[in-house]
Amino acid sequence: MNAKRPAKGGAQVDSDRLTGVIGADAPLPNVAGASPAPAKDVADVILTSRRTFQGTRRRVMSLIALVALWFVASLFFADSVLPGPRAVFAALWGNLQESDTYFHLYKTILRVVAGMAMAVIVGLIVGLMMGLSKFGEEFLDSWVMVAFTVPSVVYGILAILWFGLNDFAAIIAIGVTAIPAVAINIWQGVKAIDISLVHMGKAFHLSRASILRKIVIPQLVPYILAALRYALGTAWKIATVVELIGLSSGVGYQLNYWFGLFNMTQVLAWTIAFTIVLLAIEFVILKPVEKWLTRWRPSVQS
């Protein structure tokens, strides 16, 4: 005779039948109430927190090692060639006390963000066309490759000659320079999609929208994030080039100004200022967004 136990509300639960369905080693469910969190989940949270702390500590150690190497190298050169970290950070702190510093940072960030938005939108469209259509791939392949090989300074000069010394010229130059890199990343991401998963979704009678949302887009997310990072680095470089060539505001303008005065300390101070901005964008915006979008992927165990 099967052993039975009373459940909440008078219902009878057949423990032998549950054991047969769930498995001999699996615990019976807590019918009377919600079961407590498994110990494995608590251990995973602790392990994840520990890995996060270790990663932060290693990054801090890496920065300290870089500054130490910089300090040692500065001992062998004059301040006009390679000033030490103390002088550079003192100049940076002094710049941060002035309102003009934030104006120039704002102008460069505005141009970079607008140029990145243009590059991501156009690059995403071009990459999808090349990845989803054989005609699109063969038609646009040469365009993308030629645009990718043209030096970024050429786009900056052409944009200034066509549109003048203004923000619009800088945004166009930034966007056109970064579009090929974004398109290539998306193109390769589409070609790397696991078609067997798409066929499996069709076999389970998923709609096209569900296949796109649950199968295609998650596989494209790492490539889109890689394209964003590459576009950010490219946008920063071309923004400073365009500002250096002919604009009267921005980090590139300041670099050109202090270069004209042969003040290497201020050149490094402005370089570090915008590097800090880029690192803030990476770790405050891109990293959390990447972690949330790729939460379905298993974490690497150390």
Side-chain angles (χ1 to χ4, degrees):
M1 180 180 296
N2 294 334
K4 298 183 178 180
R5 61 176 180 177
K8 187 176 181 179
Q12 300 294 322
V13 179
D14 192 334
S15 61
D16 292 340
R17 185 176 301 172
L18 286 174
T19 303
V21 173
I22 301 175
D25 297 331
L28 291 176
N30 185 1
V31 183
S35 59
K40 183 177 181 298
D41 294 342
V42 177
D44 289 342
V45 172
I46 296 175
L47 184 60
T48 301
S49 301
R50 186 177 303 169
R51 285 201 301 267
T52 302
F53 174 75
Q54 290 177 349
T56 303
R57 184 181 63 181
R58 289 167 183 166
R59 290 187 178 95
V60 172
M61 291 173 59
S62 175
L63 291 176
I64 293 174
L66 179 61
V67 173
L69 181 62
W70 175 13
F71 172 75
V72 173
S74 67
L75 297 178
F76 299 94
F77 298 94
D79 289 344
S80 59
V81 178
L82 184 62
R86 182 176 181 179
V88 172
F89 284 111
L92 174 62
W93 179 252
N95 292 340
L96 293 178
Q97 309 304 312
E98 301 177 2
S99 58
D100 286 347
T101 300
Y102 300 97
F103 169 75
H104 291 291
L105 286 173
Y106 159 75
K107 295 296 288 186
T108 299
I109 293 172
L110 177 65
R111 294 159 185 161
V112 167
V113 171
M116 273 187 60
M118 172 185 170
V120 170
I121 294 173
V122 178
L124 183 62
I125 296 173
V126 173
L128 289 175
M129 291 175 60
M130 295 176 66
L132 298 175
S133 170
K134 186 66 175 177
F135 173 80
E137 179 179 4
E138 294 174 347
F139 186 81
L140 296 173
D141 186 10
S142 300
W143 290 27
V144 172
M145 292 305 172
V146 170
F148 188 73
T149 56
V150 174
S152 57
V153 66
V154 174
Y155 293 120
I157 293 174
L158 292 177
I160 290 176
L161 290 176
W162 288 340
F163 305 107
L165 301 175
N166 50 52
D167 291 346
F168 184 73
I171 293 171
I172 293 297
I174 293 169
V176 173
T177 303
I179 283 173
V182 176
I184 290 174
N185 273 281
I186 302 302
W187 173 29
Q188 295 301 319
V190 173
K191 293 174 72 69
I193 290 176
D194 192 348
I195 301 300
S196 62
L197 295 178
V198 178
H199 293 327
M200 183 184 298
K202 292 180 179 179
F204 281 95
H205 304 290
L206 293 179
S207 64
R208 289 185 177 181
S210 297
I211 292 175
L212 182 65
R213 180 169 53 89
K214 297 180 180 180
I215 298 177
V216 175
I217 292 180
Q219 295 185 72
L220 282 178
V221 165
Y223 294 91
I224 296 175
L225 293 173
L228 282 175
R229 285 192 170 90
Y230 193 93
L232 179 62
T234 304
W236 148 243
K237 294 172 185 177
I238 186 59
T240 54
V241 169
V242 175
E243 291 169 351
L244 188 147
I245 291 174
L247 297 186
S248 58
S249 62
V251 175
Y253 166 76
Q254 286 293 324
L255 291 174
N256 186 39
Y257 173 79
W258 291 111
F259 168 75
L261 297 178
F262 295 98
N263 191 327
M264 182 60 71
T265 301
Q266 283 289 354
V267 169
L268 292 179
W270 277 97
T271 302
I272 292 175
F274 201 77
T275 301
I276 293 173
V277 173
L278 289 179
L279 290 177
I281 294 174
E282 170 69 20
F283 289 101
V284 177
I285 299 177
L286 292 182
K287 281 286 187 181
V289 169
E290 178 183 15
K291 185 177 180 181
W292 184 77
L293 291 177
T294 60
R295 62 191 183 279
W296 51 271
R297 294 193 300 184
S299 59
V300 179
Q301 300 295 330
S302 57

